[in-house]
Amino acid sequence: MATPTISQTLVPGAFGPAVALSCRECGERYELGPKFACEFCFGPLEVAYEFGTVTREQIAAGPNNIWRYAPLLPVPADVASKPNLNPGFTKLVETRNLGRELGIKNLYVKDDSGNPTHSFKDRVVAIAVEAARNFGFTTLSCSSTGNLAGAVGAAAARAGLRSCVFIPSDLEAGKVVTAAAYGGELVAIEGNYDEVNRFCSELIGDPAGEGWGFVNVNLRPYYGEGSKTLAYEIAEQLGWRLPEQIVIPIASGSQLTKIDKGFRELIKLGLVEDTPYRVFGAQAEGCSPVSAAWKAGHDVIRPVKPDTIAKSLAIGNPADGPYVLDVCKRTGGAVEDVDDVRVVEAIKLLARTEGIFGETAGGVTVGCLKKLVETGQLDPAASTVVLNTGDGLKTLDAIEATTGATATIRPSLESFREAGLA
Amino acid sequence: MATPTISQTLVPGAFGPAVALSCRECGERYELGPKFACEFCFGPLEVAYEFGTVTREQIAAGPNNIWRYAPLLPVPADVASKPNLNPGFTKLVETRNLGRELGIKNLYVKDDSGNPTHSFKDRVVAIAVEAARNFGFTTLSCSSTGNLAGAVGAAAARAGLRSCVFIPSDLEAGKVVTAAAYGGELVAIEGNYDEVNRFCSELIGDPAGEGWGFVNVNLRPYYGEGSKTLAYEIAEQLGWRLPEQIVIPIASGSQLTKIDKGFRELIKLGLVEDTPYRVFGAQAEGCSPVSAAWKAGHDVIRPVKPDTIAKSLAIGNPADGPYVLDVCKRTGGAVEDVDDVRVVEAIKLLARTEGIFGETAGGVTVGCLKKLVETGQLDPAASTVVLNTGDGLKTLDAIEATTGATATIRPSLESFREAGLA
């Protein structure tokens, strides 16, 4: 087979330093295109790069968003001048109260609720938008019941692309409104989430789906690269150092593997010292196939039927599960899970100690962090980063039953004193 | 009366460049303290400064939050090292589609939904927290049914202060959960919002309220200064230029007057050129006492009973209303209002065109902007900034009735084609 070249139809430099897609399983290479699976072994494709020289100064001079890392992403050099939501460069919060309460010396929360639609999905969708533009796609699409729907709707609106989001028709009213707010097509499918996804796969293979970019299907190799920016930002915000430990939620597992990829790239490029880091994966007990495999010492993931309040992590058959196991093993980390009661406690703990109101996924990571310390798996003396990937405003129902007024009084000082509030 | 001096109990430099409180009405000066009304004329007190030299370079070298402007605020020079939420430096979005649709050439949205608790209230509360620390207050408090409750709860949690937020006991469950999420005291008062406020006033005057900082009452002079940071950021983000026109929502009117104050300070300090700017105030028709006074040519505001979906702006007797009229008159601006139907349309317009899902208050400003252009009051050829001060996730109910799935289909390509989606 001839060396793959970037398609003649693409503008030179359209994908920046990206030169090909390569199969994660067999290494087969393909030219950059809207492909996601290897034709030979069906393995997932990922972006391969030939990086030029990239310096800390060059990055620091860039914009306060993910495009400061454009030389490390499959995007054109002038990406920052195109209409997009400019996500990223969210706060890395040095904890005061949470670290003290958990007995961890140097604990940081990477708070991705600060993104434009308040979840890390804005990062991955932003890269997918650039790929869609490059391939001449006119409709940006996905199936989603939550964060991804908003991220796609908003990014498409700003970019001037049509959007079409598919949801199951029995979705709760509040989630429908959030998904519909950006005014794109929102198509309710009479069926459950699996049927929605099956339909989307059909559509991609049909002429009716021509010109459609499904961000996490035919644009997935590009989309996934957006998660690398979490690694870049954490390292830069720590003063160009890698953290010694990091706790990352697992849905498909892609985010965890891409953060690892980002750290390794920084080392390779000489942007950080090659210091050891341990990667920990976090799942909700009600959807913990990767944690179960880790604890059983298995290399394969047995799919489960999700049953947890952490809906944004509820993927029963996580595509990147085996790669997550590899990363956690290689780096000396672990995979842990916590039940829904602890997820709720952890959401409240993070809010009460640092003023960060996280999504259920943030409850999963903080809850697992606590458990990892308690069980001696995580070193409380080492610098540690925990991810909050979404916003508590989107999962109010998770804490509603246990959160409310602490006192009810009459409008008088007497009643105030009686309640012991003085 | 002797020249006022900063109280001996305060650490030198505790309030940075602030030197006194001065009465907005009669000019009487007071030493810096937890005071809010003039003892002689009952006029509102505001912070008076003696600024040192401040340069653009000095500001640019500061952190990516409001503390880059510490030399212009009543906070100590080392404020950025103290535990707080570090709000501000939110995006100034150069519109593409919205400007085109409204026929405005250079239109920018200052999007304050990017703040830690997703409203501009994080700015004002952050300054109040520093004042509370300076005065040795241990409880941070407010009455609120919305954004302020979350901002106070979160800021206090991070700062390690006790918080106590007062709400009417009949508040909707979702708002109670949002206010309670940060784990401080949340006291439901059996009564309406007026009764809650009356009780708070009683508490401030009682020994039971000793050590309590009510952010928008006894800390109000400091709190209000936080809104100046919107002016500083807009000017810096425009490349150290003032916009020619700006559209600002009116609740109490404080924010509008402080943005004007901020622009004038920048001119005085030589940080921007002294170019003319026109300030436009925006209200919802169902609570438009300032707009009504403006249109009638009155100098006084006649209080109204609010009836609008824009709850965060529903102040029927706006304390700073007369000052708003002054600013709009002096700068050649205007005050406008729009009905709730147009508020909803404007929320959707902003989301559909720029991917920004704003609160009802954002619907009010964008709706008024549209009306101001249509009625020829605003020059579409001049550079214009419109404020979005909060997040659509907090006011989903406003658009729920008119926002939903655009199509419902069976999970088949046939049904997809029938719906005209291909």
Side-chain angles (χ1 to χ4, degrees):
Chain A
M1 186 182 164
T3 309
T5 56
I6 295 177
S7 162
Q8 297 300 315
T9 61
L10 292 174
V11 177
F15 285 99
V19 292
L21 294 178
S22 79
C23 174
R24 184 137 193 180
E25 287 297 325
C26 73
E28 182 67 32
R29 282 165 80 97
Y30 299 86
E31 66 179 18
L32 292 163
K35 285 197 173 78
F36 57 104
C38 179
E39 288 166 18
F40 297 90
C41 74
F42 305 109
L45 302 184
E46 63 173 357
V47 176
Y49 299 91
E50 280 174 17
F51 294 124
T53 305
V54 184
T55 66
R56 294 179 185 181
E57 293 68 33
Q58 186 184 344
I59 290 168
N64 288 328
N65 55 53
I66 60 170
W67 306 131
R68 65 201 282 115
Y69 309 108
L72 303 172
L73 296 169
V75 296
D78 66 346
V79 64
S81 68
K82 292 168 188 274
N84 62 64
L85 295 177
N86 299 325
F89 221 56
T90 56
K91 291 183 202 299
L92 181 72
V93 177
E94 186 177 352
T95 71
R96 305 260 176 165
N97 312 311
L98 181 63
R100 196 168 51 226
E101 199 149 322
L102 297 182
I104 303 174
K105 209 173 158 217
N106 294 305
L107 177 62
Y108 302 82
V109 178
K110 179 62 177 172
D111 184 13
D112 247 15
S113 68
N115 275 313
T117 72
H118 309 318
S119 89
F120 91 99
K121 292 289 186 188
D122 291 323
R123 297 176 184 274
V124 286
V125 169
I127 312 285
V129 165
E130 296 313 312
R133 272 198 251 262
N134 282 339
F135 296 133
F137 289 164
T138 50
T139 300
L140 204 65
S141 186
C142 70
S143 61
S144 171
T145 60
N147 286 325
L148 188 57
V152 164
R158 171 78 177 155
L161 295 170
R162 179 180 181 238
S163 73
C164 187
V165 171
F166 295 95
I167 57 170
S169 59
D170 62 353
L171 200 61
E172 305 94 298
K175 290 195 174 177
V176 175
V177 176
T178 308
Y182 302 96
E185 298 282 353
L186 182 70
V187 178
I189 303 268
E190 289 166 357
N192 60 27
Y193 193 57
D194 284 341
E195 288 171 285
V196 175
N197 278 318
R198 249 197 310 277
F199 167 75
C200 290
S201 301
E202 255 191 279
L203 183 55
I204 290 169
D206 190 89
E210 210 174 300
W212 287 52
F214 279 79
V215 297
N216 55 351
V217 187
N218 57 349
L219 297 176
R220 188 172 185 84
Y222 310 94
Y223 167 91
E225 295 296 285
S227 288
K228 292 195 310 177
T229 59
L230 279 161
Y232 303 151
E233 290 180 16
I234 289 167
E236 183 179 357
Q237 289 170 325
L238 287 173
W240 291 110
R241 282 185 302 112
L242 299 183
E244 292 172 274
Q245 303 175 122
I246 185 165
V247 182
I248 305 169
I250 302 170
S252 72
S254 168
Q255 186 183 61
L256 186 146
T257 64
K258 296 299 182 184
I259 290 175
D260 173 60
K261 186 181 181 188
F263 284 159
R264 285 184 292 131
E265 286 173 351
L266 293 180
I267 294 169
K268 209 172 157 194
L269 289 161
L271 287 164
V272 297
E273 259 189 80
D274 187 359
T275 54
Y277 60 89
R278 299 167 71 200
V279 176
F280 296 85
Q283 295 206 294
E285 190 183 286
C287 181
S288 53
V290 186
S291 172
W294 175 267
K295 290 175 180 178
H298 294 163
D299 287 338
V300 290
I301 310 290
R302 182 183 297 178
V304 300
K305 198 167 177 295
D307 178 18
T308 168
I309 56 169
K311 306 266 187 235
S312 62
L313 303 180
I315 297 183
N317 188 14
D320 287 320
Y323 305 125
V324 166
L325 296 174
D326 290 347
V327 170
C328 294
K329 199 174 291 173
R330 196 193 77 234
T331 63
V335 186
E336 194 45 275
D337 59 85
V338 278
D339 63 33
D340 284 358
V341 172
R342 279 168 202 271
V343 170
V344 170
E345 283 172 5
I347 291 172
K348 292 183 183 180
L349 174 65
L350 179 61
R352 173 170 64 76
T353 53
E354 303 298 335
I356 298 170
F357 183 24
E359 230 213 276
T360 43
V364 168
T365 50
V366 172
C368 282
L369 170 69
K370 189 166 185 282
K371 194 167 173 185
L372 287 163
V373 178
E374 286 168 358
T375 54
Q377 298 176 83
L378 187 134
D379 177 3
S383 71
T384 304
V385 173
V386 62
L387 262 59
N388 173 46
T389 51
D391 203 292
L393 289 178
K394 296 197 196 176
T395 55
L396 285 181
D397 48 334
I399 65 162
E400 195 160 9
T402 57
T403 308
T406 51
T408 300
I409 65 171
R410 296 184 306 283
S412 75
L413 289 168
E414 192 194 350
S415 183
F416 179 76
R417 287 198 187 87
E418 279 169 13
L421 290 160
Chain B
M1 187 183 162
T3 309
T5 56
I6 295 175
S7 163
Q8 296 300 314
T9 62
L10 291 174
V11 177
F15 284 101
V19 293
L21 294 178
S22 79
C23 174
R24 184 135 194 183
E25 287 297 325
C26 73
E28 183 68 33
R29 281 165 81 96
Y30 298 86
E31 65 179 19
L32 293 161
K35 284 197 174 78
F36 56 102
C38 180
E39 288 166 19
F40 297 90
C41 74
F42 305 108
L45 302 183
E46 65 173 355
V47 176
Y49 300 90
E50 280 175 15
F51 294 123
T53 305
V54 184
T55 65
R56 294 180 184 178
E57 293 67 33
Q58 187 184 342
I59 290 168
N64 289 328
N65 54 55
I66 60 169
W67 307 131
R68 65 200 283 117
Y69 310 107
L72 303 172
L73 296 169
V75 297
D78 66 346
V79 63
S81 69
K82 293 168 188 272
N84 62 63
L85 294 178
N86 299 326
F89 221 55
T90 55
K91 292 183 201 301
L92 181 71
V93 176
E94 187 178 352
T95 70
R96 304 260 176 165
N97 312 311
L98 180 63
R100 197 169 48 225
E101 198 150 323
L102 297 181
I104 304 174
K105 206 171 162 222
N106 295 303
L107 177 63
Y108 301 83
V109 179
K110 179 62 176 172
D111 184 14
D112 248 15
S113 68
N115 276 313
T117 72
H118 309 318
S119 88
F120 91 97
K121 292 288 185 188
D122 291 323
R123 298 176 184 272
V124 286
V125 169
I127 312 287
V129 165
E130 296 312 313
R133 274 199 251 261
N134 282 340
F135 296 133
F137 289 163
T138 50
T139 301
L140 203 67
S141 188
C142 70
S143 63
S144 171
T145 60
N147 286 325
L148 188 56
V152 164
R158 171 78 179 156
L161 296 169
R162 178 179 180 242
S163 73
C164 187
V165 171
F166 296 96
I167 55 171
S169 60
D170 62 354
L171 200 61
E172 304 94 301
K175 291 196 174 177
V176 175
V177 176
T178 307
Y182 302 97
E185 298 281 354
L186 182 71
V187 179
I189 303 267
E190 290 166 356
N192 61 27
Y193 193 59
D194 284 340
E195 288 171 285
V196 175
N197 278 319
R198 251 197 309 278
F199 167 75
C200 289
S201 301
E202 256 192 278
L203 183 54
I204 291 169
D206 189 88
E210 210 173 300
W212 286 52
F214 279 78
V215 296
N216 55 352
V217 188
N218 58 348
L219 296 176
R220 188 171 184 85
Y222 310 93
Y223 167 91
E225 295 296 284
S227 288
K228 290 196 309 178
T229 59
L230 278 161
Y232 304 151
E233 290 179 16
I234 289 166
E236 184 179 357
Q237 289 170 325
L238 287 174
W240 291 109
R241 283 187 302 113
L242 299 183
E244 293 172 274
Q245 302 175 124
I246 183 165
V247 183
I248 305 170
I250 302 170
S252 73
S254 168
Q255 186 184 61
L256 185 147
T257 65
K258 296 299 183 183
I259 289 174
D260 172 60
K261 187 181 180 184
F263 283 160
R264 284 183 294 132
E265 286 173 350
L266 294 180
I267 293 169
K268 208 174 158 191
L269 288 161
L271 287 164
V272 297
E273 258 189 82
D274 187 359
T275 54
Y277 60 89
R278 300 168 70 200
V279 177
F280 296 84
Q283 296 206 294
E285 189 183 284
C287 181
S288 53
V290 186
S291 173
W294 175 267
K295 290 176 181 178
H298 294 161
D299 288 339
V300 291
I301 310 290
R302 183 182 297 178
V304 300
K305 197 165 178 297
D307 177 18
T308 168
I309 56 169
K311 307 266 187 235
S312 63
L313 303 180
I315 297 184
N317 188 13
D320 288 321
Y323 305 125
V324 166
L325 296 174
D326 290 347
V327 170
C328 294
K329 199 174 291 174
R330 196 194 76 236
T331 62
V335 186
E336 194 45 274
D337 59 85
V338 277
D339 64 33
D340 285 359
V341 171
R342 279 167 202 272
V343 171
V344 170
E345 282 172 5
I347 291 172
K348 293 184 182 180
L349 174 66
L350 179 60
R352 172 170 65 75
T353 52
E354 302 297 335
I356 297 171
F357 183 24
E359 231 213 275
T360 43
V364 169
T365 50
V366 172
C368 282
L369 169 69
K370 189 166 185 281
K371 194 166 171 183
L372 287 163
V373 179
E374 286 166 359
T375 54
Q377 298 177 81
L378 189 135
D379 176 4
S383 72
T384 305
V385 173
V386 62
L387 261 61
N388 174 45
T389 52
D391 203 293
L393 288 178
K394 296 196 194 176
T395 55
L396 285 182
D397 47 337
I399 64 163
E400 194 160 10
T402 56
T403 309
T406 50
T408 301
I409 65 171
R410 295 183 307 282
S412 75
L413 289 170
E414 192 194 350
S415 183
F416 179 77
R417 285 197 188 88
E418 279 168 13
L421 291 160

